[in-house]
Amino acid sequence: MAVMQDFVWKLILAVVVGGLIGAEREYRSKSAGFRTLTLICLGATLFTMLSELIGTHGAPERIASNVVVGIGFVGAGVIFKGDTKVSGITTAAMIWVTAALGMGIGAGFEVLSLIACLLVLTVLFIFSLLEGWIDRVNQIRNYKIVCNFENETLHRYENLFKEHHLKYKLSRQTKTLTDMITGEWVVQGSLTNHRHFIRELLKDPTVRGFEF
């Protein structure tokens, strides 16, 4: 009876821990949200407990170790590449660490798992504020400008980058048969400087196309 109560307590704790982390992901509208991470934590806990009961004698870790392998497939499913960046890596990491918390609960390290859960939530909330500050101070963007072809045309935009204290690197330039030229740059600088540059380019009548 005591063993059953212990198992039930671990499962309830797994739901709470998984739910806390899942709620944060759900709040940010991520692909793996409240229910997904709760089930992952619960499943990892259950697999770990069952591995101690039905695992081969002297090697109960064999079943639990496969949780680490299996959770990798779930994490890979939320990572996708967009036009300019790779998304879902943080969510994939959350799936991985949530499974680890569930395994810790199932193995009997409830206090350690709770402490780790608090650290995870700290990283998600506090570090996101720090990440936002870093993005405002230093941001990398890809600019694509299309205009009529004239000598020194692209250099004029590079001078504008300098005027707005933006570091740049010309990655590609293309000229079409219709006497249009396209320049693509990787530009680095503060969010404020980017906004001032974009505002000026949007008012420029010589710019035929602008992606940022």
Side-chain angles (χ1 to χ4, degrees):
M1 185 67 179
V3 175
M4 183 59 66
Q5 290 178 344
D6 181 60
F7 282 179
V8 172
W9 155 247
K10 288 179 179 178
L11 293 176
I12 293 174
L13 183 60
V15 171
V16 173
V17 169
L20 287 173
I21 298 174
E24 189 277 339
R25 294 285 88 187
E26 190 74 31
Y27 176 77
R28 299 182 188 277
S29 300
K30 301 300 180 179
S31 52
F34 186 75
R35 291 179 298 175
T36 302
L37 290 176
T38 301
L39 290 173
I40 286 173
C41 191
L42 181 62
T45 300
L46 187 59
F47 269 120
T48 303
M49 292 190 300
L50 291 177
S51 68
E52 297 180 355
L53 298 176
I54 63 177
T56 56
H57 180 68
E61 72 280 357
R62 289 188 177 181
I63 295 177
S65 64
N66 284 289
V67 174
V68 179
V69 178
I71 208 66
F73 291 97
V74 180
V78 299
I79 299 176
F80 60 93
K81 186 178 184 304
D83 294 333
T84 59
K85 64 179 182 178
V86 177
S87 302
I89 295 179
T90 302
T91 301
M94 291 311 307
I95 290 173
W96 179 66
V97 76
T98 302
L101 293 174
M103 293 180 68
I105 295 171
F109 299 100
E110 294 95 336
V111 176
L112 178 62
S113 297
L114 282 173
I115 294 173
C117 178
L118 291 176
L119 290 174
V120 169
L121 292 174
T122 299
V123 169
L124 291 174
F125 285 102
I126 304 300
F127 282 31
S128 64
L129 298 177
L130 178 61
E131 188 179 51
W133 176 80
I134 293 174
D135 284 341
R136 289 192 296 272
V137 173
N138 184 57
Q139 194 173 94
I140 297 177
R141 291 196 176 195
N142 294 309
Y143 287 103
K144 181 178 179 181
I145 302 174
V146 182
C147 60
N148 293 325
F149 176 74
E150 297 175 5
N151 291 331
E152 306 298 323
T153 296
L154 296 183
H155 291 295
R156 183 167 67 86
Y157 300 121
E158 292 177 351
N159 289 332
L160 284 176
F161 288 137
K162 293 178 182 178
E163 291 176 13
H164 290 85
H165 307 289
L166 296 170
K167 297 179 181 179
Y168 65 89
K169 180 180 179 182
L170 181 63
S171 60
R172 186 180 180 185
Q173 53 184 334
T174 308
K175 180 181 179 299
T176 65
L177 296 176
T178 57
D179 281 337
M180 303 289 286
I181 187 169
T182 301
E184 298 180 32
W185 294 266
V186 178
V187 184
Q188 180 179 0
S190 69
L191 178 61
T192 301
N193 291 340
H194 278 292
R195 285 177 175 173
H196 289 164
F197 175 81
I198 292 171
R199 191 178 297 116
E200 185 168 345
L201 259 289
L202 291 175
K203 295 178 181 179
D204 191 334
T206 65
V207 175
R208 303 301 182 185
F210 184 31
E211 294 182 16
F212 54 92

